[in-house]
Amino acid sequence: MMSDQIVTAAASLTAISIVAFAMLRGWHGWLTLKEHELDRATSGKAPEREVDTGSALGAARIELSDLKERIKKLEAIASGVDP
C-alpha cells in the first residue's frame, strides 16, 4: 500500500517537473522572440508600412475617410450651407 503511494507521488512529481520544464523553455523562447523584435525596432530599420504590405486595413481607412467627407457634405447641405 505504501509503495503504491510512493510510485504515484514519484510519477506525479516527474510529470509536474516535465510540464514545468516545457513551460520554462517556452517562456525563454517567447522572451528571446520579443528581444529580437525590440532589437529590430531599435536598430533603425523602419517597420513595413501598410502601403508596402498591401494591408486591407489601409483600404478600410481610406473608405472610412471618404464616408466622413460625404457625411460632412450632407450635413452642410442639410443646414443650408454651401460646401
Side-chain angles (χ1 to χ4, degrees):
M1 180 78 170
M2 186 67 163
S3 66
D4 291 341
Q5 291 175 347
I6 291 174
V7 170
T8 303
S12 298
L13 183 61
T14 303
I16 290 172
S17 298
I18 291 170
V19 169
F21 181 73
M23 290 177 69
L24 185 63
R25 293 277 309 234
W27 175 252
H28 281 289
W30 184 81
L31 285 177
T32 304
L33 173 69
K34 291 299 175 182
E35 285 177 0
H36 288 305
E37 287 178 358
L38 286 173
D39 288 343
R40 196 171 107 197
T42 59
S43 68
K45 181 181 177 187
E48 294 182 357
R49 300 178 311 176
E50 290 178 6
V51 174
D52 297 336
T53 59
S55 173
L57 185 60
R61 288 182 182 169
I62 291 171
E63 187 174 340
L64 186 61
S65 176
D66 289 343
L67 290 174
K68 286 181 181 179
E69 275 185 46
R70 289 181 186 176
I71 290 172
K72 286 181 183 178
K73 288 180 182 179
L74 290 173
E75 287 175 345
I77 291 171
S79 66
V81 177
D82 210 8

